[in-house]
Amino acid sequence: MSYTEGMLKEGALKGKTIVVTGGGTGLGKSMGLYFLKLGANLVITSRKLDVLQETAKEMERETGGKVLAVACDVRDIEQVETMFDEADALFGKVDGVLNNAAGNFISPTERLSTNAFNTVIDIVLKGTANVTMVAGKRWIAAKQPGTFLNIVTTYAWTGSGYVVPSAAAKAGVLAMTRSLAVEWAKYKIRSNAIAPGPFPTEGAWSRLLPGDLVKKFDPAKKVPVGRVGEHQELANLAAYLMSDYSAYVNGEVVTIDGGEWLQGAGEFNNLEAIPQEMWDMLEASREKKQ
Ligand code: HXC
Ligand code: NAP
């Protein structure tokens, strides 16, 4: 048994159709692939149709499942409506939405143009709102249950310098998750979130650790368990929260970061730097005094 293995029972998502925004690359691709392995039909969407089509082919080859690739910029409400129309036309209905698409980059905040700030807010917060509103209204009108799973970050509640538009947007997504968990539960719509720590992807690494930064700031060094995340362990959590096994989990944000954010938060956690010999000396001097 290992965290690099799939965890849920075979067929755990059978009969469900799940939309994954940003599903052609990175974490969205890994989570979507696992949903497919568990029997779901998959709809992957993002701006780049060629990337989506390549991913869809690869996934279908690997699993024998069915994947619909639809180009859809989450900032454009008409494209979002059309994407759901296409999903409904092929699969009959959509049962779950993984709001995973995001845009981000590092910058001192005072260097950001208005358009740079707005671009991230438009993709992450307003894009997630667009997808959520379209899916939610359809589920409510059809009297059909549904599940939202939103990918946020731990700086949604701690905040973080140098990624301020992303932090503000993810905080908004988290507030939306918790708010709708209450308001839409009466329609049998659940809303949960996952806050991943560092999980290597081309998209995140190229924008958050560009150039030589990756050599200077090894993300694994900030994580108490001493490593970055494996995509499968995130996929296991996402599949559970998307499945009916988590029917009583609603409005939760699950952190999967090896303890990273708490290490940054604890006031004395930097005492990790004190060597054992110094602790021995401190103990000896305390014993001498007693
Ligand atoms: C400052 C920047 C910038 C940068 C773009 N801009 N990159 N400003 N520093 N590095 C500015 C541009 O100059 C422009 O403003 C405005 O932002 C819009 O840029 P465009 O390139 O026109 O936007 P667009 O083509 O829509 O691309 C969106 C993007 C891009 C967000 C800028 O990076 C992208 O497509 N990202 C998608 C994938 C992604 O970001 N993945 C990483 C997610 S990782 P002006 O004023 O010049 O017009 C993640 C991890 C979180 O979220 C937690 C980790 C632990
Ligand atoms: P990624 O591969 O760059 O994923 C982002 C995806 O969003 C891409 O597939 C991109 O595809 C899509 N996208 C961007 N703008 C879009 C738009 N306007 N409309 C539709 N789709 C759009 O990076 P990732 O690391 O896998 O990130 C996935 C999620 O995990 C994000 O929500 C991110 O914030 C979160 N996260 C990642 C980490 C990490 O360590 N990797 C940590 C915490 C949270 P197109 O370019 O084709 O549009």
Side-chain angles (χ1 to χ4, degrees):
M1 198 272 298
S2 150
Y3 56 81
T4 58
E5 288 167 17
M7 187 182 87
L8 263 72
K9 261 191 223 158
E10 209 180 300
L13 294 173
K14 204 166 168 38
K16 290 194 189 294
T17 297
I18 299 168
V19 170
V20 181
T21 68
T25 65
L27 302 182
K29 180 178 175 183
S30 299
M31 291 185 275
L33 178 63
Y34 190 46
F35 297 165
L36 202 58
K37 284 182 179 167
L38 292 170
N41 300 314
L42 199 65
V43 182
I44 54 173
T45 83
S46 77
R47 294 163 301 175
K48 300 188 193 100
L49 187 59
D50 52 338
V51 173
L52 293 169
Q53 285 173 333
E54 195 49 50
T55 297
K57 258 197 267 163
E58 204 183 295
M59 287 173 157
E60 287 185 339
R61 259 198 315 266
E62 190 175 337
T63 64
K66 185 81 199 124
V67 185
L68 173 66
V70 190
C72 166
D73 188 325
V74 292
R75 292 171 285 191
D76 183 330
I77 195 77
E78 280 178 18
Q79 289 184 35
V80 175
E81 291 279 9
T82 306
M83 182 268 288
F84 277 101
D85 287 345
E86 286 188 36
D88 285 345
L90 185 66
F91 294 122
K93 64 179 173 51
V94 169
D95 304 278
V97 171
L98 176 61
N99 278 308
N100 164 82
N104 200 1
F105 44 76
I106 49 165
S107 172
T109 308
E110 69 278 13
R111 291 183 184 225
L112 291 173
S113 68
T114 304
N115 189 37
F117 207 110
N118 287 345
T119 298
V120 173
I121 299 283
D122 284 349
I123 299 170
V124 178
L125 178 55
K126 291 162 87 178
T128 301
N130 283 341
V131 175
T132 301
M133 290 293 279
V134 171
K137 285 179 184 181
R138 285 173 186 230
W139 286 336
I140 292 165
K143 296 191 171 24
Q144 188 209 309
T147 304
F148 288 113
L149 181 58
N150 300 328
I151 304 300
V152 295
T153 64
T154 56
Y155 60 58
W157 57 89
T158 63
S160 174
Y162 303 94
V163 283
V164 167
S166 172
K170 294 285 194 185
V173 172
L174 183 54
M176 191 166 67
T177 308
R178 288 172 167 153
S179 305
L180 290 178
V182 174
E183 191 183 337
W184 283 356
K186 60 179 175 287
Y187 301 121
K188 298 190 168 38
I189 298 172
R190 288 190 300 129
S191 301
N192 288 297
I194 296 178
F199 281 78
T201 65
E202 222 281 301
W205 260 225
S206 65
R207 291 173 177 93
L208 303 177
L209 294 164
D212 274 354
L213 283 189
V214 73
K215 289 185 203 138
K216 290 199 180 110
F217 299 99
D218 177 2
K221 293 213 172 104
K222 287 171 56 219
V223 181
V225 302
R227 64 172 176 87
V228 291
E230 283 282 337
H231 287 206
Q232 184 61 50
E233 53 195 337
L234 176 64
N236 284 340
L237 176 59
Y240 165 70
L241 289 172
M242 197 49 94
S243 77
D244 294 337
Y245 289 119
S246 61
Y248 203 50
V249 183
N250 187 29
E252 188 53 78
V253 54
V254 183
T255 301
I256 177 164
D257 75 341
E260 184 200 35
W261 86 267
L262 282 168
Q263 165 141 309
E267 200 166 8
F268 290 96
N269 283 343
N270 58 357
L271 298 192
E272 196 66 34
I274 294 184
Q276 288 305 319
E277 303 77 61
M278 196 180 287
W279 287 118
D280 290 343
M281 273 164 50
L282 287 168
E283 194 176 327
S285 71
R286 189 163 44 81
E287 277 165 3
K288 230 189 264 166
K289 276 189 210 146
Q290 281 168 356

